Amino acid sequence: MAGSDVIATTTPLAPKAGVGYIADSNKPTIASAQLDMSDYTLTLNFGEPIGRDSVDVTQLTIQNRAVSADATEARTLTSASTVAVSSNALVATISLGDADVTALQLAVALAVGGDSTFVLAMPDAFEDLWGNGNAVQVADATFEQDDISPEMKSFAINLNAASISVTF
């Protein structure tokens, strides 16, 4: 190669010490939560990205007090509730199953306002991208009231029993 000077050396170069690798051991947390009873969704915002398939809704409970021992009403979600995780993996939107929606609607002191809506996440309800499961956590949730008027789906009249059955 013309024009390139090469300088030979007999002094060996000392290898540089490796910087090292420290694995992520931080447990993921819920940064905020919102229960929307018009859309029938529970939205969880996380402090770090979570694994797309790691959310186990059956490990999530909506309760009416921040301290579980003080809760007088609670609903653990069923597997009928489904999860969609955002592209940046920081938000999980849970579409509540019919049984979960009905239980929340029938509750007297649960999910009737912001002061009666808390989300309890049991261990391993979700994991971060490195497989770290969450610790037990209770998160305050904002609450969006159900503003959908009831709609009658069917009715039946039984003249023999002198009764009317209405399904909403």
Side-chain angles (χ1 to χ4, degrees):
M1 296 196 171
S4 296
D5 293 330
V6 176
I7 302 173
T9 180
T10 58
T11 307
L13 298 175
K16 293 188 177 186
V19 175
Y21 172 76
I22 299 173
D24 175 17
S25 61
N26 294 329
K27 294 184 177 291
T29 58
I30 299 172
S32 65
Q34 178 184 19
L35 178 64
D36 187 329
M37 290 304 292
S38 290
D39 290 339
Y40 308 132
T41 58
L42 174 64
T43 303
L44 304 176
N45 296 286
F46 298 96
E48 65 177 292
I50 59 163
R52 293 203 174 284
D53 298 323
S54 74
V55 180
D56 181 355
V57 295
T58 65
Q59 298 301 308
L60 297 171
T61 299
I62 300 170
Q63 59 190 35
N64 69 334
R65 297 283 184 264
V67 177
S68 296
D70 295 340
T72 57
E73 285 191 274
R75 173 65 182 188
T76 298
L77 300 182
T78 64
S79 59
S81 293
T82 58
V83 182
V85 177
S86 66
S87 60
N88 66 4
L90 290 171
V91 179
T93 302
I94 300 166
S95 296
L96 301 175
D98 290 342
D100 295 328
V101 170
T102 300
L104 291 170
Q105 289 173 330
L106 293 174
V108 176
L110 174 62
V112 293
D115 59 345
S116 64
T117 309
F118 300 88
V119 178
L120 167 65
M122 295 304 292
D124 300 320
F126 48 89
E127 295 179 346
D128 67 13
L129 299 178
W130 298 269
N132 298 312
N134 66 290
V136 173
Q137 177 187 2
V138 176
D140 291 342
T142 59
F143 176 78
E144 293 294 324
Q145 179 174 306
D146 177 1
D147 61 2
I148 299 172
S149 298
E151 182 178 309
M152 184 176 63
K153 292 185 178 182
S154 66
F155 70 93
I157 300 173
N158 184 333
L159 296 176
N160 293 328
S163 66
I164 299 175
S165 298
V166 181
T167 304
F168 291 91

